Amino acid sequence: MARTRPADLASSSSKAATNRRYHRLVLPFSDRTRTANLTRMAEDRFDVLVIGGGITGAGIALDAASRGFSTALVEQDDFASGTSGRSSRLVHGGLRYLEHREFGLVAESLRERGILFRLAPHLVRPIPMYMLADDLRRRATYRVGLAGYELLAAGRNIGYHRSANADQVRQAIPGLGGRSRGFRYFECQVDDARLTIEVARAAHGFGAVLANHARVTGLLGDGRVTGAVVADELTGQRFEVRARAVVNAAGVWADRVTRLAAADGSGRADGSGRADGSGRADGSGRADGSDGSGGAGGGRLRPSKGVHLVFAPGAVQTKAALVAPSGAGDGRFIFIVPWEDRVYAGTTDTPYSGDLDHPEVDAVDSDYILSAVARNFPGVTERDVVASWAGLRPLLSQDEDLGDARTSDLSRNHAIFTEPPGLFTITGGKLTTYRAMAQDLVDRVAAALGDARPGLTRRIPLGLHGSAAAAVRLARAEVARLGLPPRAAARLVQRYGDDWAEAARLISEDSSLGEPVVSTLPVLGVEVALARSREMALTDSDVYVRRTRLTTRDARLIPSAGSHRE
């Protein structure tokens, strides 16, 4: 299949490509889009097939498609249904990584934080962070660390740190128990699932063919991976997708995909979806990896569980995020972060060997976070918890036996493996650095295909062209005309970027869409409508868990699992 840019990208220049303004006509991304995409996947041959619809996979699809490679992506569940929708919702440099002397990772993360803040200012927004310190030694340590942090940002700071006296801390964190001085610095906050959706939509805008609820059950090829067998999870129909390069961006499921390509340790793929009748490569759960470059086994994939608790409105009174020591005395810190009318806190970082598809919040996880919150906000108990989430990080270790090592000590760097031939596996990394990870991977793929092209994603807006403040000003006038409260303008811009105007149009045609889905929550009916027409939400879980986040506001709103609505 010839590589072409979308039809309306007439210019071959990168500037023309990155300035494409499809937002003036809302880009459909619905169940009909998915049906058409599945048909194309079965009929065409692609340059790149991406397995995995988290932030890394979506980023790879955008990077590849914007370079002009014909690109397809399949996701077994929903976009951001795994790690990418269950993070701490922060785009940050990783201040604590300085302790491990990972200066390169911190510098890269700070660079990417600045890029994302520029590309998606409606989604990636600054948030003040406070660290408490009364004793001189701790204050000196924090001051040096924050100064080094800002130095590594190399002029891309979101805001500079400053000391805060007890009154200033109290003003920012009214519910804090006791009086304490500290430091304020800045990171960025993001709805991780929404960021993933915007990256996926941008990839779609550049001609990538994407489908959620499409599971890879086998890999094609004999000695070289040339595609995948895909099952439509909604209909059960199976078909083959052929590609010159296959990318395994399945996160904590990366080993599962790699094993599909490994028969007897030789890397032969037979399309059966099984290796030796057991679904394993050599009984070890690795592809071959004998030279340190094969499959996800070249570095050992070590899933780590991260848990967050959500507290009822008013239970934890703070206007800024607090970085608080855990109550376990283990040297770790907990983020306590305001999110609209609620506050969430996390995260844990513990080894995980259970069901990858359904990590759960257990009593130990909950107590770990509650103890840290209660130490700083007296009176907070488990009765104040209204929701929670658990996610798995795909961390890597080069050691066969970790012994007593903690997952919190493992690096957040990413790694790329290029065996068996035709399969490119990427694991590790973090939400903040997804774009750099995607660029690194596509550079490798482009070189292998003999058609190196520069990446463009530093200049591709993610849902909003121009200033977020200017968009909010325009939206305020429109929502006033519609009789909606002023806060609705900021909400629509922050969630939909340029497409706030489409949301307003839908409300003007049906005023009921301007009403809350739940009377006590700010989620509007139009958000459900746009989830299905604009964001390929197919099931109730797609809508309420990831698109609108209703279930992370109140666990009682959990929908029937997988219910599909036409």
Side-chain angles (χ1 to χ4, degrees), residues 136-457:
L136 292 178
R137 182 176 181 180
R138 181 173 296 180
R139 288 181 65 82
T141 300
Y142 286 176
R143 190 183 297 276
V144 170
L146 288 168
Y149 196 58
E150 291 169 357
L151 182 63
L152 288 171
R156 291 180 288 267
N157 289 295
I158 300 300
Y160 289 92
H161 81 277
R162 67 167 175 80
S163 60
N165 61 37
D167 289 337
Q168 291 169 329
V169 171
R170 171 70 64 185
Q171 184 177 7
I173 312 174
L176 185 68
R179 288 176 60 83
S180 179
R181 297 179 296 166
F183 291 91
R184 185 196 70 181
Y185 70 105
F186 288 88
E187 298 287 10
C188 285
Q189 189 174 43
V190 69
D191 184 329
D192 48 10
R194 296 212 62 79
L195 177 63
T196 303
I197 287 294
E198 287 301 342
V199 174
R201 281 173 43 81
H204 174 53
F206 276 96
V209 179
L210 302 90
N212 53 0
H213 301 285
R215 181 184 300 271
V216 169
T217 61
L219 294 177
L220 304 174
D222 186 3
R224 179 182 184 85
V225 177
T226 59
V229 179
V230 177
D232 183 343
E233 293 287 272
L234 302 183
T235 66
Q237 182 178 1
R238 292 173 181 257
F239 56 93
E240 296 180 350
V241 184
R242 299 191 176 274
R244 299 170 65 201
V246 177
V247 174
N248 174 8
V252 293
W253 294 270
D255 277 346
R256 290 185 183 177
V257 175
T258 302
R259 290 171 197 163
L260 295 177
D264 55 3
S266 65
R268 179 178 60 83
D270 60 8
S272 66
R274 299 169 68 93
D276 56 3
S278 65
R280 299 172 68 93
D282 56 5
S284 67
R286 308 206 302 173
D288 82 17
S290 58
D291 63 356
S293 64
R300 296 303 299 259
L301 192 60
R302 301 286 184 175
S304 166
K305 184 167 71 167
V307 164
H308 295 78
L309 303 181
V310 182
F311 296 90
V316 179
Q317 297 182 33
T318 182
K319 304 172 186 175
L322 176 64
V323 184
S326 79
D330 55 3
R332 297 195 67 254
F333 288 82
I334 297 295
F335 293 122
I336 302 172
V337 186
W339 183 271
E340 297 182 357
D341 63 338
R342 282 161 170 70
V343 170
Y344 65 86
T347 180
T348 59
D349 194 340
T350 54
Y352 184 79
S353 58
D355 183 358
L356 297 181
D357 296 328
H358 302 101
E360 296 183 350
V361 179
D362 59 34
V364 174
D365 300 323
S366 181
D367 290 345
Y368 182 89
I369 297 172
L370 269 174
S371 64
V373 175
R375 285 178 63 183
N376 292 277
F377 298 88
V380 174
T381 70
E382 61 183 4
R383 292 189 297 273
D384 297 309
V385 177
V386 294
S388 62
W389 70 84
L392 301 177
R393 307 175 189 87
L395 303 183
L396 285 170
S397 170
Q398 294 299 325
D399 298 325
E400 290 289 330
D401 184 5
L402 278 177
D404 295 327
R406 303 180 305 174
T407 53
S408 58
D409 293 328
L410 296 182
S411 174
R412 267 53 176 178
N413 283 304
H414 70 277
I416 295 173
F417 307 101
T418 56
E419 291 291 337
L423 181 66
F424 297 78
T425 297
I426 184 166
T427 54
K430 56 200 289 274
L431 175 73
T432 303
T433 59
Y434 87 86
R435 192 205 63 83
M437 293 167 61
Q439 181 173 294
D440 188 8
L441 187 286
V442 179
D443 283 347
R444 304 275 190 100
V445 171
L449 297 181
D451 193 356
R453 309 178 186 192
L456 306 177
T457 54

Side-chain angles (χ1 to χ4, degrees), residues 51 81 100 202 277 291 305 325 350 381 395 411 416 420 442 467 486 507 510 526 543 550 552:
I51 301 171
S81 59
H100 298 286
D291 63 356
K305 184 167 71 167
T350 54
T381 70
L395 303 183
S411 174
I416 295 173
V442 179
S467 161
I507 294 171
D510 181 353
V526 72
V543 173
L550 279 169
T552 57

